[in-house]
Amino acid sequence: MAHAELNIAIAGAGLMGRLLAWRLSTEGYRVSLFDAGSLDNPPGACHTAAGMISPLSELFHCPLPIYELGMQSLQHWPQWVAQLEQEVGVRVDYRQSGSVLVAHPQDRSELLQFQQELTAKLGGAGGEQLRWLDSRGLSALEPELDRFEQGLFLASEADVDNRKLLPALLQAVMQNGVMLHEHTAVECAPNEVLTARGSEAFDLVIDARGLGANGAIHGLRGVRGEVMVVETAEVQLQRPVRLLHPRYQLYAVPRANNQTVIGATEIESEDMSPISLRSIMELSSALYSIHPAFAEARVIETRVNCRPATMDNLPVVESEPGLIRVNGLFRHGYLLAPALVLQVEDALSKLTQETEQVT
């Protein structure tokens, strides 16, 4: 069956849904994209996240498959962003300048433990991907970090401005003729989506609803995350910085217009209420310890969301005739998305071949 003859529904217009809609519509499939919320202001975790693509940093807490999928994604992000920018004529701030990890002198053991953990998980290759920095090397990369005596540089890591990427993807799918259905909650079944208006048939349904698919994915749960955005011209970081601490890892991701996205919290709860005072205090204190000039930064936004996670915190791509489910990206949405898109495309190809053999 030719691509143009296949009619595909994608449920969920978060990062996965938009990437899939863009990729599949570019390949010639007829695509309909459904979302229970607004397409201009998506309510999901993709809009809240800091957009980090950091397989090495995440490997410290995560199993090896997350790292492997992340490294695969790193190979595709630059090409995909360049293609997207060309199609829509809008700059998407993708930056592959690495990331820097620091710790205060009393927490130096955190840096050593980080290095040892990655070396153990990756073997000899682990040490090759980390570079120790003394105070001079650290200042050369990040002049604002002159308070720290040493750090680690992970040169391969990247980040993307999600607040520019998501609108660009929406513009691209509109240009490709994707049928958009916002404020339309759906249930997914093989070859059909069910809405309040009734059932609509498709050759294939791709369920990328995140927590909206609760009940369809065994053990799916929400994990709360809290983020602050501050603004100051007094501190100019060049790349994501992580502060290692015995109780948490704070990340600070610089953005345009003197803004910095900061976060660290990971709470086993599906509570979507506003950020807690405790989290604000901890994030602010840790940020101040990176550079005292952050004390005069203005808090311009706080973000709260719940990331969809499976029981083992690994993503799932499940397929059956007429239906593919992709879910469980947890805190690794931007890290894993391209690799999982490729898995969905592979599953789609296999299902198409099986259909052709039957007919």
Side-chain angles (χ1 to χ4, degrees), residues 63-140:
L64 192 59
I66 297 295
Y67 164 81
E68 294 170 340
L69 289 169
M71 293 301 291
Q72 184 181 354
S73 292
L74 269 179
Q75 296 175 11
H76 294 281
W77 267 123
Q79 177 187 346
W80 288 14
V81 168
Q83 179 183 344
L84 180 63
E85 289 178 333
Q86 184 176 13
E87 289 182 15
V88 301
V90 174
R91 179 175 173 80
V92 176
D93 287 340
Y94 174 81
R95 170 177 54 197
Q96 191 163 9
S97 301
S99 60
V100 170
L101 282 69
V102 294
H104 294 295
Q106 65 271 25
D107 299 325
R108 182 177 181 273
S109 61
E110 299 295 320
L111 286 171
L112 294 172
Q113 183 181 357
F114 184 95
Q115 180 196 36
Q116 292 168 0
E117 182 73 16
L118 263 63
T119 301
K121 288 183 175 180
L122 297 177
E128 297 172 3
Q129 298 185 63
L130 308 177
R131 178 155 66 93
W132 275 98
L133 301 171
D134 58 15
S135 58
R136 181 178 299 179
L138 191 56
S139 294

Side-chain angles (χ1 to χ4, degrees), residues 29-47:
Y29 293 99
R30 287 185 293 144
V31 177
S32 296
L33 180 62
F34 296 82
D35 196 87
S38 166
L39 293 176
D40 291 324
N41 296 293
C46 64
H47 194 248

Side-chain angles (χ1 to χ4, degrees), residues 6 24 31 48 51 55 61 74 77 94 111 133 137 150 158 164 175 180 184 188-189 225 290 308 312:
L6 273 177
L24 295 181
V31 177
T48 305
H61 294 291
L74 269 179
W77 267 123
Y94 174 81
L111 286 171
L133 301 171
Q150 57 186 195
K164 295 182 178 180
Q175 291 176 186
L180 302 177
T184 305
C188 298
I290 290 178
D312 58 6

Side-chain angles (χ1 to χ4, degrees), residues 327-349:
N327 213 315
L329 277 70
F330 188 32
R331 54 181 285 171
H332 312 121
Y334 289 87
L335 176 64
L336 301 181
L340 296 182
V341 165
L342 294 175
Q343 287 189 20
V344 172
E345 291 179 346
D346 184 56
L348 170 57
S349 177

